[in-house]
Structures are given as structure tokens and as C-alpha cells.
Amino acid sequence: MVVGEFTTEVDVLVIGAGPGGYVAAIRAAQLGKSVTVVERGELGGVCLNVGCIPSKALIHASHTYDHMKAADQMGISVENVSVDFGKVQEWKSKVVKQLTGGVGSLFKGNKIQTVPGEALFVSENEVRVFNGYEVNRYKFNHCIIATGSRPIELPAFPYGERVLSSTEALNLTEIPKNLVVIGGGYIGIELGSVYARFGSKVTILEGSDQILPGFEAEMTRLVERKLKKNKVDVFTKAMAKGMEETENGVVVTAEVKGEEKKFEADYVLVTVGRRPNTDELGLSDIGMKLTEKGYVIVDKQGQTSIPNVYAIGDIVEGPALAHKASYEGKVAAEAIAGQPSAVDYKVIPAVVFSDPEISSVGISEREAKEQGLDYVVGRFPFAANGRALSVNAGEGFVKLVADKETGVVLGAQIVGPEASNLIAEIGLAIEMGATLEDIELTIHAHPTLGEMMMEAAELALGHPIHVLNK
Ligand SMILES: Cc1cc2nc3c(=O)[nH]c(=O)nc-3n(C[C@H](O)[C@H](O)[C@H](O)COP(=O)(O)OP(=O)(O)OC[C@H]3O[C@@H](n4cnc5c(N)ncnc54)[C@H](O)[C@@H]3O)c2cc1C
């Protein structure tokens, strides 16, 4: 022990204040626990500071610019539309600040203590927290680890001035002339599209045979078509091999469908996945069980192999999503408070804020087929929905998958404008065990995009109104 090291005894210690950690802290406080949160960076974690929120703010700003330029098809002429990217970034930062400030106020209101610094486990019930030159110890009854994840670095593309991770790509001060994106997953597609809408010449290199692997090809095809329409070059089966720095940028070499190609860029954005922040916490030293890839092994309550320590969010296997982290945070807090909560992952929506948006919940038609289920599908096009056409959004479809015999809703896939919001109704339907008939008999307001859920249910039942039943 360093001379002067001070030990504080706390009840529940949460490490990391991202959407997993801060939600867990609030829930534990609501249940009467005294909670202390250690955070080495900013409140809100990746999601609020360098993830979900700033990316969606930039997506919105870039769409606004795009829509203004395209307004003449509705008879509205807008002249001299231009972008002051510095101001776009300022506005984005204001949104982030408002939200992280909100977490601070919630902590205060719930009497949650915040300790700035980096935590390292020294035993099963104690951590050291390093904050500059100061080191303090915290002894806890229960701990929730929510330290999140960081971008994976490719050895041939070390992060630096010209090679960006998503964090730097969100904070660029200029709009790149040429941007190469390595990785066509959701982060690459979202950020690549932002800069394409702002005027960058964007090239996407994706190793597998479709962008957004994991989503059905009939959905991702629409996104790829729109990307190409916006002059984004999309290369699938494209493996980035290396790069050479030039005076003003880089030249990326990639093998595209077996052929070597070179791409000039002023920036390269590498988004090939994320790895859990579990390697610098001293977890193996205290005997915690991790998977080979460094994810913490937990049970249905988030309890690790050390009974008084829980783990949630991106450091636990499953989709690296903010809403999964928050959900697990609530379950872990409730478990610590003695409640019989347990995770049930049947309803974790997945959303990509691409153009058009993509969302999915429950099982897809492909999965229903693979599982040998007897199922029905209702696939309703945006083009047959009045609201969609009146807001110039007639591209895409809603697909409901249900059990053939009982009509119980099993899943939905949506591609089209507002897919991110529309999916919520089907998430609730699956959670409630609703049937196609329940959705069909629910009066949906007209004219709304939401009516498409009712129409898709009618289609699956064989009596659609606004399309012919073939
Ligand atoms: C560009 C981008 C866009 C995204 N968009 C979406 C989206 O639209 N929807 C969605 O659901 N998800 C999105 N995500 C994913 C989402 O951000 C993560 O899944 C989510 O933040 C995980 O939450 P978490 O609480 O597990 O960890 P994090 O948010 O990563 O928070 C972990 C916190 O722990 C702190 N920490 C780490 N180690 C220590 C330590 N030793 N001591 C003290 N503190 C520590 C970190 O500083 C950090 O603040 C996006 C991610 C990125 C990068």
C-alpha cells in the first residue's frame, strides 16, 4: 500500500458510467442501495460521448442538408445551401453536453457518489482507483463492472492522424474529400453515409459478401442501392491489406474479389468491431472467469464467477448495444437488491440508422426457416402506405413473421424511413405474446407509418386491404 492510500467502505460500487453503469447505479439507488460510481472518462460512456448520440446528431444534420438540397422536387427552392462543419460539430457537442449533464443531475438526485479515476481490482471486494497522482481504495459489498468496449485496431492500419476510429471520425473538424471506410457494419455505414451526404467521396470496403452482415440481404440491398445512388463506392468481398502514407493522405491497398486495388484517401476510418475493456482491470488476478475473447462469463442475473461481483453491457457477450447494457444494468441492480430478476433476450431490437433505416426484432424469416418452424409472413411495402408517400418516403417494407397455427408474433424486420421507431410496436407485441389478430384489430391512427404493422398483420392473415392478396 502506498503511504497515504485511503480506504473507503461502500455498499454498491459501479465501475463505468456508460448506459450500463449509470442505469444500474440509478436502479440500485432506487432500491435503497448506497451507490458509488467510478468513471475514468466522462459520464455517459461511449454511448453519450462518442457513440449513439453524437453519431445520430451528425446523421440528422447531414440528412437536413441533403433534404434541403432535394427540396425542389416538392416545389421548394432553396438557394446557396452550405455547411459550416465547425458549427455542426458545436451543435452536436451541445446535445452531448446536455445529456451527460442530465446523467450528472440524475446521480445527484439519487444521491449517487461519483469518483473520477481508473479502477483496478486488488481482491474480490476491493479496488484501487488511480486519479492522476492520487490512489484510493474502495471496499465494496457488491460491485457491478460496466467498463464497456473500445475499437479493434488492425495491425496494418494503426490509429493515428490519418487512420481514424469511430471516435475521431465523430470529431473531425473538416469534411474529408476522400474517405475510405474499412468495415461495412453499422458504424461504418452510418458514419460513411454522414460524410457522403456532406460531400465526401466515400469508399466502403467490406470483407464479407454483403454490407451489414447479420441482416437479411433483401433489406441491405436497399441500403446498398441508396449508397450507390449517393455516389458511395461499395466493395464487398474486399479485404484491406495495407496502406502507404502520402503527403496529404494515404493510399489503401485492398484485395477485392481476388484482385488488388488501390484507393486514395485523406482519411481511413477503421470500424471492424469492438473489444471488451476487461484486460486492464486485474480480473484474472482475482480469479474471475472470462471467455477466450475476454468477455466476462455471467449467469442470467449478471453474476460473475465471483458471487458479489456482477458484469453488464459490452463486456458481456451478445450484441454490443446501449439498450442491452441498460437492460442488463437494471437486472444486475435488482439482483443485488434481492429481487428475482433475470435477463430474457427474446426482444432486443437491432437498429441501423442507415438510409433507409433498418430494424429487426425477434426472429427473421431466415431464422424461422432454419429452425424448421411452421410460420407465416406478412410483407407490406412502404409504397402502399399513404403517409409514407406524403412524406416522400415510399421505399422499403415491413415484414412480420408469426407462428402459422396460433398467429403468435415471432419477429419483424423493417427497412424504410422511421424503421427505428416503428420496430417498438412489434417488440412489445412479442413481449406480450400478441398474435397477428391482436395487431390487426388494434385501430392504428391514419395516416401514419404505424398502419403498416396492421396491414402486414392483415397480409399474413390473408386479407390485406391496401395490396392485392396474391
Ligand atoms: C459510433 C458508435 C455508434 C453507436 N451507436 C449505437 C446505437 O445507435 N445504438 C446502440 O444501442 N448502441 C450504439 N453503440 C454502442 C453503444 O455505444 C455501446 O453498446 C454502449 O455504450 C455500451 O455501454 P456500456 O455501459 O457497456 O459501456 P460504455 O458506454 O463503453 O461505458 C463504459 C465506461 O466505463 C469507463 N471505464 C472503462 N474502464 C474503466 C476503469 N478501469 N475505471 C473506471 N472507468 C472505466 C469508460 O470510460 C466508459 O465511460 C454505438 C457505438 C459507437 C462506437
Side-chain angles (χ1 to χ4, degrees):
M1 180 188 280
V2 175
V3 178
E5 223 173 89
F6 189 73
T7 303
T8 308
E9 301 216 349
V10 299
D11 185 9
V12 177
L13 186 77
V14 178
I15 307 175
Y22 86 72
V23 169
I26 292 171
R27 187 75 189 113
Q30 281 172 352
L31 293 168
K33 295 284 170 188
S34 157
V35 184
T36 302
V37 178
V38 185
E39 171 56 60
R40 68 178 177 192
E42 306 291 332
L43 295 184
V46 167
C47 173
L48 265 56
N49 293 285
V50 290
C52 327
I53 300 301
S55 60
K56 268 78 245 182
L58 290 184
I59 287 169
H60 178 68
S62 65
H63 274 304
T64 304
Y65 178 53
D66 214 32
H67 289 161
M68 286 173 101
K69 285 191 299 180
D72 60 351
Q73 23 165 333
M74 288 181 284
I76 301 165
S77 56
V78 189
E79 276 165 33
N80 303 324
V81 187
S82 63
V83 183
D84 180 336
F85 199 58
K87 283 200 176 151
V88 171
Q89 289 289 25
E90 258 175 49
W91 169 74
K92 177 207 79 181
S93 302
K94 224 164 76 187
V95 174
V96 167
K97 222 168 157 189
Q98 193 174 341
L99 285 164
T100 52
V103 174
S105 306
L106 289 170
F107 272 15
K108 236 185 225 158
N110 282 289
K111 299 191 175 48
I112 295 166
Q113 302 293 323
T114 313
V115 175
E118 176 141 3
L120 172 74
F121 281 83
V122 287
S123 75
E124 293 184 356
N125 61 359
E126 196 169 4
V127 295
R128 294 174 89 187
V129 176
F130 300 80
N131 182 9
Y133 292 107
E134 204 183 42
V135 184
N136 285 301
R137 285 179 176 243
Y138 290 83
K139 240 187 167 146
F140 54 81
N141 293 324
H142 284 101
C143 177
I144 300 176
I145 315 172
T147 48
S149 61
R150 61 181 184 276
I152 290 175
E153 190 169 25
L154 290 176
F157 297 88
Y159 291 128
E161 202 191 331
R162 296 280 158 194
V163 182
L164 316 172
S165 75
S166 56
T167 299
E168 292 83 41
L170 286 166
N171 291 314
L172 280 179
T173 51
E174 59 179 4
I175 298 167
K177 270 199 218 69
N178 289 288
L179 176 69
V180 167
V181 180
I182 302 177
Y186 83 92
I187 295 177
I189 296 297
E190 287 185 4
L191 294 181
S193 305
V194 162
Y195 285 107
R197 283 190 288 271
F198 278 136
S200 304
K201 175 72 196 127
V202 176
T203 304
I204 294 172
L205 305 175
E206 164 57 43
S208 67
D209 57 4
Q210 69 169 63
I211 56 164
L212 303 170
F215 287 96
E216 291 183 323
E218 64 170 341
M219 300 168 85
T220 62
R221 252 198 304 273
L222 291 182
V223 177
E224 196 169 330
R225 205 164 70 194
K226 192 69 179 277
L227 284 167
K228 287 181 177 161
K229 206 169 144 197
N230 288 342
K231 302 194 172 46
V232 174
D233 288 331
V234 180
F235 293 95
T236 51
K237 291 197 178 146
M239 298 302 289
K241 296 275 182 212
M243 62 166 201
E244 231 176 88
E245 298 226 10
T246 61
E247 207 176 312
N248 298 317
V250 289
V251 176
V252 175
T253 308
E255 199 180 299
V256 182
K257 298 188 173 102
E259 201 184 306
E260 190 174 291
K261 280 189 188 291
K262 292 200 185 293
F263 302 93
E264 271 182 49
D266 35 3
Y267 291 102
V268 184
L269 164 60
V270 180
T271 58
V272 291
R274 298 180 63 85
R275 56 180 295 198
N277 290 327
T278 49
D279 47 345
E280 290 171 354
L281 283 167
L283 298 178
S284 324
D285 299 341
I286 60 163
M288 187 173 288
K289 287 201 179 116
L290 307 179
T291 69
E292 245 172 53
K293 289 190 169 163
Y295 292 96
V296 183
I297 297 172
V298 294
D299 70 4
K300 281 191 159 250
Q301 294 197 310
Q303 193 176 37
T304 70
S305 54
I306 297 173
N308 61 328
V309 181
Y310 289 69
I312 58 168
D314 282 8
I315 58 167
V316 169
E317 277 185 330
L321 293 169
H323 44 276
K324 170 194 169 264
S326 303
Y327 172 67
E328 289 172 349
K330 284 187 262 186
V331 169
E334 286 166 6
I336 287 171
Q339 296 193 355
S341 298
V343 292
D344 171 1
Y345 293 125
K346 197 164 58 181
V347 180
I348 306 184
V351 172
V352 184
F353 292 81
S354 45
D355 182 14
E357 290 181 355
I358 282 187
S359 62
S360 162
V361 71
I363 63 168
S364 63
E365 185 178 7
R366 184 174 65 195
E367 285 162 335
K369 208 175 279 171
E370 281 164 7
Q371 291 173 25
L373 302 179
D374 199 11
Y375 64 91
V376 278
V377 163
R379 190 182 184 282
F380 189 83
F382 272 61
N385 173 271
R387 176 72 178 169
L389 295 187
S390 65
V391 295
N392 202 17
E395 218 181 343
F397 60 84
V398 167
K399 192 158 91 174
L400 284 187
V401 182
D403 181 81
K404 193 170 183 178
E405 197 190 328
T406 60
V408 168
V409 179
L410 302 173
Q413 289 72 50
I414 306 175
V415 53
E418 294 298 329
S420 55
N421 286 318
L422 293 169
I423 201 73
E425 176 177 347
I426 307 305
L428 182 66
I430 298 173
E431 191 63 42
M432 302 294 291
T435 62
L436 291 170
E437 216 174 32
D438 291 322
I439 295 180
E440 177 209 15
L441 294 176
T442 300
I443 301 174
H444 287 67
H446 177 74
T448 60
L449 298 178
E451 283 177 289
M452 284 185 286
M453 306 302 139
M454 180 179 74
E455 304 265 16
E458 284 171 346
L459 238 164
L461 289 164
H463 46 254
I465 301 294
H466 290 104
V467 290
L468 293 174
N469 190 21
K470 285 184 223 155

